[in-house]
């Protein structure tokens, strides 16, 4: 199964939003100590997130903490939380960045954020690191450094996707679409990401979640096709569906991914 269909960032210095974030319906909630928090609020944000997560999750969403790149206080703090809480590690450019995080938070699952040209170029080595469980792209940072338009982002998305898949990792989620109230733009860009092979998307606001979830939900026709394929493949070899479509074992992976999208996330 691929990863999470929808994810929501919540600022670490806004504990008044923590419960609503976990009950928002997002499959993943990321408590943000980095971009969403002003420099003078970093310490307070860390304390608030730690206090909240020490008491256990309030909803069914998976939980990650986006730390500040290389910040030892953030990494050591998250290392004291429950083992399933992942670290979303910004500005990863090499395996040495990952080794540094592992030394401070051993055994913790790492989600490596590629936010620079160097990070994208080194995506294969980063994805192969044993602590990395997923890749993600920081598109706003990448646009600032590299320049360019949609072609550049498409190249970066595909580079990340192939690196993740080659390493046996789930298809990466698309990064936040920054225009919160432009739901038509969000839908169009999310469809482009899905067509490339990405799965799921991070949101900056709960308003975006329904749009994201709808695009990554399979249609009834896709679910029926997947069930027919898996049923046909039980007979072995090359089979033919009632529609006349030829089915062979190469289709199994796609069919299983489609049915995986219909299962509840844990």
């Amino acid at each position: 199964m691929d990863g999470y269909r929808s994810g929501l960032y919540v600022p670490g210095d806004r504990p008044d939003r923590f419960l609503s974030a976990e009950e928002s319906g997002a499959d993943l909630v990321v408590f943000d100590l980095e971009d969403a928090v002003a420099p003078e609020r970093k310490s307070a944000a860390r304390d608030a997130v730690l206090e909240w997560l020490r008491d256990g999750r309030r909803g069914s969403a998976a939980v990650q903490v986006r730390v500040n790149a290389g910040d030892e206080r953030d990494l050591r703090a998250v290392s004291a939380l429950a083992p399933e809480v992942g670290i979303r590690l910004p500005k990863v450019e090499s395996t040495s960045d990952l080794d540094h995080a592992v030394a401070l938070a051993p055994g913790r699952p790492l989600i490596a954020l590629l936010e620079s040209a160097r990070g994208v170029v080194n995506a294969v080595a980063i994805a192969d690191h044993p602590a990395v469980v997923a890749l993600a792209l920081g598109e706003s940072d990448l646009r600032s450094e590299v320049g360019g338009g949609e072609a550049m982002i498409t190249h970066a998305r595909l580079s990340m996707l192939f690196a993740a898949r080659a390493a046996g990792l789930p298809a990466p989620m698309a990064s936040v679409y920054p225009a919160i109230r432009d739901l038509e733009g969000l839908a169009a860009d999310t469809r482009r990401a899905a067509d490339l092979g990405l799965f799921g998307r991070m949101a900056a606001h709960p308003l975006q979640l329904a749009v994201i979830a709808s695009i990554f939900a399979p249609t009834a026709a896709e679910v029926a096709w997947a069930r027919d394929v898996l049923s046909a493949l039980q007979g072995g070899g090359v089979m033919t569906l009632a529609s006349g479509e030829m089915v062979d074992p190469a289709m199994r992976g796609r069919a299983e991914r489609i049915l995986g999208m219909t299962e509840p996330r844990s």
Side-chain angles (χ1 to χ4, degrees):
M1 188 191 303
D2 281 321
Y4 306 109
R5 185 177 293 114
S6 62
L8 178 65
Y9 280 108
V10 58
D13 62 345
R14 292 298 306 269
D16 56 309
R17 297 182 183 178
F18 290 175
L19 181 58
S20 61
E22 291 206 37
E23 295 179 343
S24 66
D27 299 311
L28 168 69
V29 174
V30 178
F31 293 84
D32 193 4
L33 303 180
E34 194 210 19
D35 285 349
V37 180
E40 66 274 12
R41 297 283 299 161
K42 300 284 189 184
S43 180
R46 186 188 311 113
D47 292 343
V49 169
L50 290 179
E51 181 180 356
W52 180 262
L53 293 181
R54 281 195 194 104
D55 293 337
R57 295 185 297 175
R58 274 73 170 179
S60 61
V63 170
Q64 297 170 7
V65 178
R66 180 162 71 171
V67 300
N68 291 280
D71 192 304
E72 294 192 6
R73 294 165 299 179
D74 286 356
L75 290 166
R76 292 188 188 281
V78 178
S79 72
L81 295 172
E84 67 269 17
V85 177
I87 292 177
R88 208 165 180 87
L89 191 65
K91 299 175 175 58
V92 177
E93 294 190 330
S94 68
T95 56
S96 62
D97 296 328
L98 301 165
D99 291 339
H100 175 72
V102 169
L104 295 169
R108 188 70 43 171
L110 299 181
I111 298 83
L113 296 180
L114 313 180
E115 302 182 272
S116 66
R118 185 178 295 276
V120 173
V121 168
N122 290 333
V124 171
I126 291 167
D128 276 335
H129 193 283
V132 171
V133 298
L135 297 182
L137 202 63
E139 294 184 5
S140 295
D141 289 87
L142 199 59
R143 288 180 192 274
S144 295
E145 179 188 313
V146 178
E150 291 310 312
M152 184 276 291
I153 291 297
T154 296
H155 174 80
R157 285 173 169 176
L158 288 173
S159 296
M160 175 182 64
L161 172 67
F162 277 96
R165 285 309 204 185
L169 302 180
M173 301 176 75
S175 63
V176 165
Y177 187 78
I180 290 173
R181 300 196 177 278
D182 179 12
L183 299 185
E184 290 185 4
L186 168 65
D189 188 67
T190 304
R191 289 190 191 98
R192 284 194 291 271
D195 287 344
L196 291 175
L198 275 63
F199 183 81
R201 182 160 210 159
M202 294 300 302
H205 192 281
L207 186 67
Q208 299 175 310
L209 293 173
V211 173
I212 293 168
S214 68
I215 289 170
F216 290 103
T219 65
E222 288 172 330
V223 172
W225 174 88
R227 287 176 175 156
D228 287 347
V229 166
L230 293 182
S231 177
L233 288 176
Q234 289 180 355
V238 177
M239 308 291 291
T240 303
L241 299 182
S243 65
E245 181 181 5
M246 185 188 74
V247 175
D248 64 29
M251 294 180 174
R252 181 181 297 276
R254 181 184 170 214
E256 289 176 342
R257 282 195 293 274
I258 288 172
L259 293 182
M261 296 180 203
T262 67
E263 298 175 2
R265 306 285 162 176
S266 59

